[in-house]
Amino acid sequence: MTMHFADIARQAATDRRVSSEELLSLRRAGWANGTITPEEAETIFALNDALDDRSAEWVDFFVEAIGEYVLNTMQPAGYVTEEQGKWLIDRLNASGKVESMAEMELVVRLVERASNVPERLKVYVIATLEHEVLSGTGPTRHGGDLSDTHVSEAECRILRRALFAPGSDRPGAISRREAEMLYRIKDACLESENAPEWKRLFVQAVGNHLQGYASASAQISRERAAELEAFMADASSNVGRFLGRMAKTSPNRFGKVFGKKGTDAPTREQLVAADHAVTASEKKWLDIQMSGNGMVDEYDQALLRFLEGGEAP
């Protein structure tokens, strides 16, 4: 971290505000060498804690800088290490809550950008989403407010972004933990004046958990990604160069050289159809969720219609 970066951050923290000129200087100094250092990341977090007001420009810088540090400091890029995940959780918990405008946007943007994150961070993201939807207040980066009295339209947007993100608990689909979180939110806000989008999101998301298909290879671990990158970068094998040249010159040779395997394996269409069927264990799980508040409410009824082939509300 340069002295210039530290001086700007120190003055802004003293003033409890960041001017546009200071923000531009922080950007220039922070990315002077193309990366965000651990010291700079700590300084940026400390400055965020000190600010009285967080402008949209500051939020964008904060999210971009911390995301750059967490996702691209270590190779392979796009993956969060266990140590970085722990650091991020500890840092977010330092103030006792996830501040809606900056820190909430960081949590969501991180799983949107990441190829995968550690298990503890996935659990933390789910818990944070639930807490902020039920208890959070204040503006969000993309308009609207968090509400502690009902599920707002802004909260629906945040949930949808995070739940279907590449770095989420079940990328492109809804996991069991995520579906159970949605049920808890539904029961807690059942009598509230919720945004119309909430029922639609609830039905689509829980329906996706029960009937949606998710590839087992949608996410790979950071360790596996590192192995693959090392393999493809191995100059002695030239595998990547060989395959690339072969694909360009003789694209139809792959089947002849490597042979056709897995002809008895189910097709993607068959896998999708199999996942669409609600199994006995899934029905049992759904019964438990619906009995949580002692009645089959309007959200449950809309979900059942959706599972039977109806439209989402």
Side-chain angles (χ1 to χ4, degrees):
M1 179 171 64
T2 65
M3 289 297 296
H4 184 50
F5 187 95
D7 289 342
I8 298 169
R10 190 179 302 110
Q11 183 60 54
T14 300
D15 297 339
R16 305 188 71 82
R17 62 180 297 274
V18 179
S19 68
S20 298
E21 293 75 16
E22 288 171 327
L23 193 53
L24 180 59
S25 296
L26 285 173
R27 281 189 174 276
R28 288 172 173 170
W31 269 280
N33 61 354
T35 61
I36 296 293
T37 67
E39 294 79 12
E40 288 168 342
E42 283 286 355
T43 299
I44 291 167
F45 247 114
L47 177 53
N48 183 68
D49 292 342
L51 297 177
D52 287 332
D53 295 303
R54 297 165 182 85
S55 66
E57 292 76 18
W58 165 257
V59 172
D60 290 344
F61 169 74
F62 174 77
V63 171
E64 185 179 354
I66 300 301
E68 177 69 22
Y69 168 66
V70 172
L71 290 173
N72 295 325
T73 299
M74 305 288 289
Q75 294 299 316
Y79 291 83
V80 181
T81 67
E82 289 286 348
E83 293 75 15
Q84 288 171 319
K86 182 180 184 303
W87 172 82
L88 183 62
I89 292 171
D90 290 345
R91 203 61 190 78
L92 288 168
N93 284 339
S95 62
K97 66 174 183 176
V98 173
E99 190 277 322
S100 62
M101 176 67 104
E103 295 176 357
M104 188 68 210
E105 181 65 19
L106 171 62
V107 169
V108 176
R109 193 73 185 101
L110 191 66
V111 292
E112 284 183 321
R113 291 181 58 193
S115 297
N116 204 350
V117 303
E119 176 71 9
R120 74 168 73 186
L121 189 52
K122 291 180 180 181
V123 173
Y124 180 81
V125 169
I126 292 172
T128 298
L129 288 170
E130 181 174 357
H131 180 270
E132 290 304 299
V133 169
L134 293 177
S135 306
T137 58
T140 66
R141 172 62 186 89
H142 297 285
D145 294 324
L146 298 181
S147 170
D148 57 359
T149 61
H150 65 281
V151 183
S152 69
E153 185 176 345
E155 289 167 335
C156 290
R157 286 197 298 268
I158 288 172
L159 283 169
R160 192 176 288 278
R161 287 173 59 197
L163 292 175
F164 290 98
S168 67
D169 202 29
R170 189 183 178 207
I174 301 299
S175 71
R176 175 63 55 89
R177 289 186 295 204
E178 291 168 336
E180 290 178 352
M181 173 199 68
L182 292 171
Y183 251 102
R184 289 192 296 272
I185 294 174
K186 185 267 292 182
D187 288 343
C189 300
L190 188 60
E191 302 300 326
S192 303
E193 293 294 328
N194 302 310
E197 171 61 18
W198 165 235
K199 184 184 289 186
R200 181 177 181 83
L201 172 60
F202 172 82
V203 168
Q204 288 179 330
V206 178
N208 175 280
H209 169 65
L210 293 168
Q211 294 184 320
Y213 169 75
S215 172
S217 59
Q219 277 182 342
I220 60 174
S221 69
R222 177 179 176 274
E223 292 72 22
R224 180 57 177 158
E227 290 175 358
L228 293 173
E229 282 199 5
F231 176 74
M232 294 304 293
D234 185 356
S236 63
S237 67
N238 291 319
V239 173
R241 190 182 309 166
F242 166 73
L243 292 177
R245 186 169 60 247
M246 187 173 180
K248 290 180 180 178
T249 58
S250 303
N252 295 325
R253 297 285 295 176
F254 278 102
K256 296 179 181 179
V257 173
F258 295 105
K260 294 183 178 180
K261 296 182 179 180
T263 54
D264 294 332
T267 65
R268 182 179 179 85
E269 289 74 17
Q270 290 171 328
L271 292 172
V272 170
D275 270 3
H276 189 267
V278 180
T279 65
S281 63
E282 288 173 332
K283 289 178 180 177
K284 182 178 180 180
W285 173 85
L286 183 57
D287 287 341
I288 293 172
Q289 301 306 308
M290 289 195 299
S291 64
N293 62 7
M295 61 178 175
V296 179
D297 57 55
E298 60 179 290
Y299 290 82
D300 296 323
Q301 293 170 14
L303 173 61
L304 291 173
R305 288 193 296 270
F306 181 74
L307 294 175
E308 292 172 356
E311 295 291 328

